[in-house]
């Protein structure tokens, strides 16, 4: 396995980590308005209170790693997707601010405003991420210099929009299961009612997007010829999807959460597999940006590998400590939001 | 109308980085104060230090959240607006940025959760550990980002290589890149600047409480801690600033000449402008006061070696003068004022008159603006002084922007960020103000408090007053 491939895999790991972890707190944001009482909304927000910030670090590190390992792809994607990226950045600011400021004033109007803002920013961030991912899977027009040669409106094509919808439904499902784990009593009973709805939307969109992908983007399965073992991931993914309602039915939400995490991981894997060996697939006659043509020097990839080797165990340790400290049902303490 | 993408992108970068940089220095500086306070709590077991640690942590949390939110923008803006730059430096700059993510951000954000929400979930030692780790994380973060930035000023450890039809910089010696000629100078300067801000911030709020006769015991102790931090850091900054200016003279003579408004190289020793306003047309400084020969002496520690002026620099490589000159002088003027103010406060504390000198406390309430301005001014001076280069001597700023982003979109995002940041800044002020008005939750009177480490410096007689004050607020 060469260093370029190692970094492609490591980026995949960072993306998976981000999608699984920030996925549930984005999902909680998408569902937030469905609870009505202030006390319950506070419980919902505080279930992700200590965790969302650390979850976003996965995105920041993904950005840094993409910059360092594949600067050509980082440059093309971010400048090509300029406006969607700005919307995501403002959305991420909006989320942080809504969470932080909502609790500081007790008037209902103030809180309604920040609740709406929290929902809207969470929804937008999730949706735009999905749209961006959809475009990456499809490929985009590149010019001779490897720069994005399309327009803003070309990014809003049906396939990409449907991936955006799938992202929102997936996050809502993942977030609902997470909330089910963290809440109790009456609130938990209502959260339980959301899971089948979110699951239904996710499953329908998952089938729809898969069909659309296979129909309109036949190149997506090319790599399966070289790596037939990847069909196992497809099969496991289907099983994991099916396991979610089963685990909920059996009253084992932890199991359901693991399943939905596996679904997100598998979908990330399949998306990475679909574009390999490209990072930005060109739909024009000009060359794609591959993990070789877009990469930094071998010396940098090796150096970054050492950094990752030292850093990743530390990251795993901190993450484990924090999730351990904040295990169990959410309670409103003195320092709660 | 043709929009100037370079200008718009520069404006957006300046806006987003300057806004962002309101928050990290306070996180670093306040973090140090919190480590000291919580350390005192752990050591003495006095509840009053717990109250301090808890109060400042609440302020810290709000500041940190805004810092993170505005910081995410920075991570991606190199690619969105400066994609040619990103292609050119990714090999060098990207790795420092990725190292920052892995070594600093995870550490910070993980333990921040324990710091803010973990008071009742972990023991005292573990909590202190978390506070220390958050502080370390914020320092590590500054280490990596300052290394990356310093490389832009004094590139080292790289070679220029052709890649896919364009030139780019690639690392050949990682440690030479890390310890490039300006990185450690700049790092020390940045950290001390953050400590000064942290100290002045603590003193500002504490002085306000003392003037209002609220939480007096809490406020006086906090003030002393902030004063110690700010005093040491202010003197340290003087030493660091001098060393850094000598480094700039060595590595970036054009920048030093712009800082000092020095156009014409002469064999005579060059003077130092204390203040003034540079006139770029006439190539002279107006309305100023100059100390003869001092610049030559400060740079070379002799009166013979000439200091090169801007006339030694080809016209197309010269930085602008007004902005670097003014911001550099503002920074130095403020830095000198910090030494004076902290020395005066230290003297009055020693004479046991500090907390009765109300005018000085009022000065300290507002003096916190000083370190904010100084931190910003220092960065403006160094970054504008680097122009017209984005990577000194290697890549010009005008060649570094994204090629495919339409001007209207940059203008649109600039407007959006301006509106969002204005609102965010107002909210930050509002929430910090609420927290300050609410004040610390003071402990019940604890007889052990009499043996406090700083009790000698402050005097125990104010204790009664603070308790009554707490009751009034409740």
């Amino acid at each position: 396995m060469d260093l370029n491939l190692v970094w492609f895999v490591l980026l995949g790991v960072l993306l998976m980590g981000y999608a699984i972890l920030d996925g549930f707190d984005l999902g909680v944001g998408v569902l937030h308005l469905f609870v009505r009482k202030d006390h319950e909304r506070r419980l919902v927000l505080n279930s992700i209170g200590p965790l969302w910030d650390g979850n976003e670090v996965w995105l920041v590190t993904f950005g840094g790693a993409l910059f360092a390992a594949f600067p050509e792809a980082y440059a093309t994607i971010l400048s090509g997707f300029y406006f969607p990226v700005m919307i995501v950045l403002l959305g991420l600011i909006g989320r942080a601010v809504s969470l932080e400021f909502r609790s500081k004033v007790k008037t209902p109007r103030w809180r309604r405003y920040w609740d709406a803002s929290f929902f809207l920013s969470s929804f937008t961030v999730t949706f735009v991420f999905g749209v961006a991912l959809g475009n990456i899977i499809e490929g985009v027009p590149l010019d001779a210099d490897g720069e994005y040669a399309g327009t803003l409106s070309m990014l809003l094509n049906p396939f990409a929009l449907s991936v955006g919808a799938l992202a929102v439904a997936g996050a809502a499902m993942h977030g609902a299961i997470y909330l089910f784990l963290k809440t109790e009593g009456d609130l938990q009973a209502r959260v339980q009612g959301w899971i089948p709805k979110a699951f239904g939307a996710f499953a329908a969109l998952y089938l729809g997007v898969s069909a659309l992908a296979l129909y309109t983007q036949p190149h997506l399965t090319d790599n399966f010829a070289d790596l037939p073992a990847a069909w196992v991931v497809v099969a496991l993914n289907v099983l994991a999807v099916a396991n979610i309602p089963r685990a909920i039915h059996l009253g084992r939400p932890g199991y359901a959460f693991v399943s939905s995490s596996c679904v997100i991981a598998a979908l990330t894997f399949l998306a990475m597999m679909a574009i390999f060996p490209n990072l930005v697939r060109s739909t024009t006659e000009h060359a794609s940006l591959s993990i070789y043509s877009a990469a930094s020097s071998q010396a940098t990839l090796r150096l970054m590998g050492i950094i990752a080797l030292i850093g990743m165990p530390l990251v795993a340790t901190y993450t484990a400590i924090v999730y351990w400290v904040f295990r169990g049902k959410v309670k409103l303490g003195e320092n709660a939001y | 109308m043709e929009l100037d993408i370079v200008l718009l992108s520069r404006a957006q970068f300046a806006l987003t980085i300057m806004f962002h940089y309101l928050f990290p220095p306070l996180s670093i500086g306040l973090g140090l104060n919190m480590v000291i306070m919580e350390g005192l709590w752990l050591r003495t077991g006095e509840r009053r230090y717990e109250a301090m640690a808890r109060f400042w942590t609440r302020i810290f949390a709000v500041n940190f959240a805004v810092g993170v939110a505005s910081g995410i923008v920075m991570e991606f803006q190199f690619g969105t607006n400066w994609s040619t730059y990103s292609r050119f430096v990714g090999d060098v700059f990207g790795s420092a940025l990725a190292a920052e993510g892995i070594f600093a951000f995870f550490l910070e954000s993980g333990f921040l959760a324990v710091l803010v929400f973990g008071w009742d979930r972990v023991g005292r030692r573990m909590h202190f550990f978390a506070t220390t780790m958050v502080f370390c994380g914020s320092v590590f973060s500054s280490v990596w980002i300052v290394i990356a930035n310093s490389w832009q000023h004094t590139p080292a450890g790289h070679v220029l290589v052709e890649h896919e039809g364009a030139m780019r910089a690639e690392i050949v010696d990682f440690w030479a890149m890390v310890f490039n000629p300006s990185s450690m100078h700049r790092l020390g300067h940045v950290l001390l600047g953050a400590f000064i801000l942290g100290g002045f911030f603590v003193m500002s709020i504490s002085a306000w409480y003392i003037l209002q006769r609220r939480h007096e015991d809490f406020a006086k102790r906090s003030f002393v801690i902030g004063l110690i931090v700010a005093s040491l850091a202010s003197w340290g900054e003087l030493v660091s600033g001098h060393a850094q200016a000598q480094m700039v003279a060595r590595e970036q003579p054009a920048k030093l000449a712009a800082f000092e408004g020095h156009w014409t190289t002469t064999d005579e020793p060059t003077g130092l402008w204390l203040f003034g306003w540079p006139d770029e047309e006439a190539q002279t400084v107006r309305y100023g006061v100059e100390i003869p020969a001092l610049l030559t002496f400060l740079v070379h520690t002799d009166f013979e070696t000439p200091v090169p002026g801007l006339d030694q620099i080809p016209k197309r490589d010269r930085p602008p003068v007004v902005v670097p000159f003014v911001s550099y002088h503002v920074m130095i003027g403020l830095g000198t004022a910090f030494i004076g103010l902290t020395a005066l406060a230290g003297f009055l504390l020693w004479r046991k008159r500090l907390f009765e000198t109300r005018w000085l406390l009022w000065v300290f309430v507002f003096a916190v603006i000083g370190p904010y301005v100084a931190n910003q001014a220092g960065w403006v001076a160094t970054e504008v002084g680097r122009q017209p280069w984005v990577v000194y001597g290697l890549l010009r700023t005008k060649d570094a922007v994204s090629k495919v982003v339409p001007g209207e979109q940059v203008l649109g995002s600039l407007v959006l960020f301006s509106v969002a940041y204005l609102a965010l800044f107002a909210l930050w002020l509002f929430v910090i103000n609420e927290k300050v008005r609410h004040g610390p939750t003071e402990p019940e009177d604890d007889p052990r408090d009499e043996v406090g480490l700083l009790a000698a410096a402050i005097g125990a007689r104010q204790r009664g007053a603070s308790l009554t004050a707490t009751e009034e607020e409740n």
Side-chain angles (χ1 to χ4, degrees):
Chain A
M1 200 146 106
D2 60 43
L3 280 166
N4 299 60
L5 187 56
V6 167
W7 271 99
F8 185 70
V9 171
L10 281 175
L11 281 176
V13 170
L14 285 170
L15 190 60
M16 267 179 211
Y18 176 68
I20 292 171
L21 295 175
D22 215 29
F24 74 72
D25 67 55
L26 285 166
V28 166
V30 169
L31 297 168
H32 179 59
L33 292 182
F34 289 111
V35 254
R36 299 260 168 222
K37 287 185 215 135
D38 184 58
H39 174 74
E40 293 182 341
R41 283 190 174 170
R42 287 187 63 204
L43 284 170
V44 165
L45 290 179
N46 280 286
S47 74
I48 59 168
L51 305 173
W52 67 269
D53 181 26
N55 296 344
E56 275 183 10
V57 173
W58 288 82
L59 176 67
V60 172
T61 307
F62 174 82
L66 183 66
F67 191 178
F70 303 110
E72 302 282 342
Y74 171 87
T76 295
I77 296 172
L78 288 171
S79 60
F81 294 8
Y82 187 85
F83 215 71
V85 173
M86 292 298 153
I87 296 297
V88 165
L89 293 176
L90 285 165
L92 290 172
I93 293 177
R95 266 168 60 80
V97 171
S98 310
L99 253 172
E100 201 57 48
F101 292 145
R102 178 192 189 278
S103 61
K104 304 302 188 267
V105 177
K106 285 210 170 73
T107 62
R109 247 182 90 174
W110 173 272
R111 296 203 158 174
R112 267 205 308 277
Y113 174 78
W114 289 116
D115 284 336
S117 149
F118 185 61
F119 160 77
L120 198 68
S121 47
S122 302
F123 180 90
T124 311
V125 167
T126 316
F127 183 72
V128 177
F129 270 136
V131 173
L133 186 66
N135 278 292
I136 291 296
I137 293 171
E138 287 179 287
V140 293
L142 294 183
D143 69 12
D145 296 330
E147 302 264 12
Y148 178 67
T151 60
L152 176 58
S153 56
M154 285 168 73
L155 297 173
L156 305 173
N157 57 73
F159 177 76
L161 293 174
S162 65
V163 178
L166 178 67
V168 172
M173 174 184 79
H174 196 48
I177 298 170
Y178 175 77
L179 272 182
F180 184 74
L181 268 171
K182 298 297 275 188
T183 53
E184 48 200 340
D186 185 38
L187 177 60
Q188 191 187 32
R190 268 176 293 143
V191 168
Q192 192 175 8
W194 303 341
I195 296 176
K197 289 177 194 153
F199 177 80
F202 172 76
L205 280 162
Y206 174 52
L207 287 175
V209 170
S210 302
L212 198 61
L214 293 175
Y215 180 66
T216 60
Q217 324 276 331
H219 67 272
L220 294 181
T221 47
D222 290 353
N223 285 323
F224 282 90
D226 297 327
L227 188 65
W231 287 111
V232 177
V233 177
V234 178
L236 285 176
N237 190 26
V238 173
L239 284 177
V241 172
N243 196 44
I244 292 169
R246 180 173 159 271
I248 294 290
H249 181 71
L250 291 174
R252 295 177 62 190
Y255 199 27
F257 187 73
V258 172
S259 297
S260 73
S261 300
C262 287
V263 170
I264 294 173
L267 289 175
T268 313
F269 174 86
L270 293 173
M272 300 284 285
M273 167 116 182
I275 61 171
F276 182 82
N278 296 322
L279 291 157
V280 189
R281 185 175 157 273
S282 172
T283 56
T284 58
E285 74 277 14
H286 299 296
S288 301
L289 296 178
S290 76
I291 62 170
Y292 301 100
S293 67
S296 283
S297 63
Q298 291 296 303
T300 291
L301 293 179
R302 194 173 309 114
L303 174 81
M304 296 268 302
I306 296 168
I307 291 176
L309 216 58
I310 303 169
M312 281 313 221
L314 293 173
V315 169
T317 314
Y318 314 144
T319 311
I321 291 177
V322 172
Y323 277 80
W324 174 252
V325 167
F326 295 100
R327 68 194 181 278
K329 301 291 181 190
V330 55
K331 298 267 190 298
L332 296 182
E334 184 203 342
N335 297 299
Y337 283 119
Chain B
M1 192 185 79
E2 190 67 27
L3 292 165
D4 184 345
I5 297 187
V6 176
L7 196 67
L8 286 171
S9 290
R10 285 184 69 186
Q12 180 166 312
F13 201 90
L15 169 77
T16 49
I17 194 71
M18 287 175 77
F19 181 77
H20 175 60
Y21 204 66
L22 291 172
F23 309 100
L26 183 61
S27 293
I28 296 170
L30 199 53
L32 176 65
N33 284 278
M34 282 154 47
V35 169
I36 295 171
M37 290 165 184
E38 205 171 341
L40 285 171
W41 177 39
L42 206 63
R43 206 177 129 162
T44 64
E46 290 180 40
R47 295 284 302 279
R48 57 159 67 107
Y49 291 121
E50 182 191 3
M52 270 187 200
R54 281 180 182 257
F55 174 75
W56 295 109
T57 299
R58 285 201 288 271
I59 304 247
F60 180 90
V62 178
N63 188 68
F64 194 91
V66 185
V68 170
S70 58
I72 291 180
V73 176
M74 303 318 305
E75 189 85 9
F76 293 95
Q77 204 171 185
F78 302 110
T80 53
N81 293 70
W82 302 94
S83 68
T84 311
Y85 165 82
S86 303
R87 291 176 209 277
F88 184 79
V89 302
D91 203 277
V92 183
F93 192 90
S95 42
L97 220 56
E100 185 185 19
I102 287 185
F103 292 135
F105 291 154
F106 277 110
L107 183 68
E108 264 182 312
S109 65
F111 285 103
L112 180 80
V114 180
L115 171 62
V116 178
F117 299 97
W119 290 102
D120 312 319
R121 285 183 176 255
V122 297
R124 275 163 53 173
R125 278 169 198 286
M126 175 66 188
H127 196 274
F128 177 67
F129 179 71
T131 309
T132 312
M133 287 301 111
V134 171
F135 172 64
C136 288
S138 64
V139 172
F140 293 164
S141 163
S142 65
V143 170
W144 288 106
I145 200 66
V146 164
I147 286 170
N149 172 272
S150 296
W151 184 85
Q152 288 178 261
H153 292 268
T154 52
H158 67 281
V159 286
L160 293 183
V161 177
E162 193 183 325
H163 174 85
E164 304 282 321
M167 295 304 279
R168 72 174 186 185
E170 291 187 358
I171 293 188
V172 282
D173 183 346
F174 177 69
W175 295 110
M177 185 276 281
V178 168
F179 293 103
N180 67 65
S182 67
S183 59
M184 291 304 122
H185 284 287
R186 187 172 281 107
L187 178 64
H189 206 65
V190 159
L191 286 176
L192 287 167
F195 296 158
I196 295 175
L197 174 61
F200 269 86
F201 190 87
V202 169
M203 287 193 286
S204 166
I205 294 174
S206 305
W208 170 252
Y209 285 145
I210 297 167
L211 287 165
Q212 301 292 311
R213 307 204 187 287
R214 293 171 52 192
H215 317 291
E216 284 190 67
D217 176 62
F218 164 90
K220 287 174 184 174
R221 279 162 198 274
S222 294
F223 192 98
V224 171
I225 292 172
L227 179 60
I228 293 170
V229 169
S231 302
L232 295 176
S234 297
W235 284 104
E237 199 69 310
L238 181 71
V239 177
S240 145
H242 176 61
Q244 200 179 1
Q246 288 188 324
M247 179 277 298
V248 173
R250 213 163 43 238
E251 304 290 336
Q252 294 174 289
K255 190 201 279 188
L256 187 88
F259 282 172
E260 304 290 2
H262 175 40
W263 275 276
T264 319
T265 317
T266 55
D267 290 332
E268 300 289 302
T270 310
L272 183 84
W273 290 102
L274 282 185
F275 57 87
W277 191 268
D279 181 338
E280 297 202 40
E281 296 272 309
Q283 305 208 337
T284 183
V285 176
R286 298 193 189 280
Y287 321 114
V289 168
E290 188 183 28
I291 300 182
L294 188 57
L295 181 62
T296 304
F297 180 73
L298 284 175
V299 170
H300 295 299
T301 336
D302 65 39
F303 291 104
E304 283 79 43
T305 328
V307 178
L310 284 167
D311 56 2
Q312 305 286 307
I313 314 290
K315 267 222 161 73
R316 62 196 294 264
D317 296 344
R318 284 186 202 170
V321 178
V322 173
V323 173
F325 180 95
V326 172
S327 47
Y328 181 72
H329 281 79
V330 163
M331 173 186 78
I332 290 181
L334 285 168
T336 315
F338 303 152
I339 293 176
L341 262 178
T342 50
L344 178 61
F347 173 77
L348 289 173
L349 181 72
W350 174 56
R351 303 300 304 161
K352 295 204 183 357
R353 290 197 337 246
L354 173 62
F355 299 124
E356 283 72 45
T357 314
R358 293 180 66 87
W359 68 268
L360 187 63
L361 292 175
W362 275 113
V363 170
F364 271 104
V365 169
F366 294 102
V368 65
I369 297 167
Y372 274 115
V373 173
N375 274 304
Q376 298 278 348
W379 276 112
V380 169
T382 194
E383 296 292 291
V384 179
R386 191 192 57 220
Q387 303 302 328
W389 304 99
V390 66
V391 182
Y392 197 66
L394 298 181
L395 183 67
R396 285 172 194 276
T397 307
K398 68 177 171 58
D399 300 329
V401 285
S402 298
K403 290 178 183 144
V404 300
V405 181
E408 299 75 41
Q409 292 193 18
V410 185
L411 184 63
S413 61
L414 178 59
V415 170
L416 281 175
F417 275 120
S418 307
V419 173
Y421 282 178
L422 211 60
L424 199 49
F425 184 67
L427 274 167
W428 179 84
L429 276 180
F430 170 72
V431 170
I432 295 281
N433 184 47
E434 284 291 302
K435 302 235 171 228
V436 172
R437 271 189 21 187
H438 183 265
T441 318
E442 296 205 38
E444 301 294 308
D445 206 4
D446 187 336
R448 281 175 306 167
D449 287 2
E450 295 297 330
V451 292
L453 202 70
L454 298 163
I458 290 159
R461 66 201 157 78
Q462 294 91 358
R463 197 139 311 127
S466 72
L467 276 172
T468 47
T470 324
E471 277 159 24
E472 274 163 25
E473 282 141 40
N474 295 344

